Amino acid sequence: MNRNQVLPQVQLSSEPSALKRVDFCAPQSYQGAGFLAISEMPRLAQEASTVIAGDGFDWQMQTYFEGSPASDPHQILDLDLNGRIHLICQRCLQDCAIDLAEKRRFIFVATEAEADDYPMEDEEQEPLVASQHFNLLETIEDEILLSLPLIPKHPDGFCEPHASVFGIDEADEGADERENPFNILKNMKKNS
């Protein structure tokens, strides 16, 4: 095959089963788009507090080859993710919709050793090991999981007041200032 020849472009099916076996070793480039419901990604479904109709992620991807034909061109995967998942707000412990929009770039390498040796300071793209049975669905799910906030919470001022969750009666709120716990310990030490 002549390296200057334009590679065929293959349209990926948006079916989750088709995304589990993509041949990224073939001399062709890919493009595809679709929607994945939370239920189609089991590890992500475990993180969700509730699943509402319409929750899930739109995905769009394309691969292309970068580099001169004289050198060995590298296959690049661009992945865009946009969607919503419901998690538990860590302020009020109520359901909270989290919207995510992520763009990722990957470079395909031939072996795990090449992936391990890939420079960590390259923050623009991450290595993936190309295979004939590459699980793109798993990669999409991994990237969504990595994008979830460590401490999900509503925006400031949007939490529903549930003071009883924190052991404070709503009637007591504002009625009297609570004493500083360190002063209580200090007083206890004096009295002993």
Side-chain angles (χ1 to χ4, degrees), residues 8-168:
Q9 181 94 38
V10 175
Q11 182 70 36
L12 281 179
S13 168
S14 63
E15 290 298 316
S17 59
L19 298 177
K20 290 181 179 181
R21 292 181 65 141
V22 181
D23 184 1
F24 283 123
C25 292
Q28 58 196 15
S29 56
Y30 292 91
Q31 67 178 11
F35 177 80
L36 290 168
I38 300 289
S39 61
E40 295 170 319
M41 297 176 279
R43 291 177 294 145
L44 190 61
Q46 288 180 340
E47 297 294 322
S49 56
T50 58
V51 178
I52 297 175
D55 280 1
F57 288 84
D58 289 308
W59 61 272
Q60 184 174 358
M61 64 79 66
Q62 70 174 12
T63 64
Y64 54 92
F65 288 84
E66 209 172 62
S68 69
S71 68
D72 191 22
H74 295 288
Q75 187 174 18
I76 304 294
L77 165 66
D78 284 336
L79 178 65
D80 292 349
L81 301 167
N82 289 292
R84 171 176 283 185
I85 184 172
H86 282 77
L87 302 172
I88 296 294
C89 172
Q90 297 302 300
R91 278 192 197 128
C92 66
L93 301 179
Q94 299 300 308
D95 197 50
C96 173
I98 303 292
D99 292 316
L100 296 174
E102 297 293 326
K103 290 182 182 286
R104 298 278 197 253
R105 173 172 283 175
F106 301 95
I107 183 169
F108 283 105
V109 295
T111 65
E112 287 286 341
E114 281 184 64
D116 291 343
D117 291 342
Y118 195 79
M120 290 182 71
E121 58 273 1
D122 189 348
E123 295 177 10
E124 290 185 20
Q125 56 194 16
E126 296 176 45
L128 289 175
V129 179
S131 81
Q132 292 177 324
H133 305 291
F134 189 88
N135 191 336
L136 184 59
L137 178 62
E138 186 176 88
T139 299
I140 291 171
E141 187 176 15
D142 287 345
E143 292 308 309
I144 295 168
L145 286 166
L146 289 170
S147 300
L148 295 179
L150 291 175
I151 302 173
K153 55 189 174 186
H154 289 103
D156 289 338
F158 284 91
C159 284
E160 295 178 21
H162 290 284
S164 59
V165 167
F166 301 104
I168 304 169

Side-chain angles (χ1 to χ4, degrees), residues 179 182-192:
E179 191 173 349
F182 294 106
N183 288 341
I184 294 170
L185 289 172
K186 185 177 169 184
N187 292 335
M188 288 174 68
K189 187 175 178 183
K190 283 181 184 178
N191 293 337
S192 47

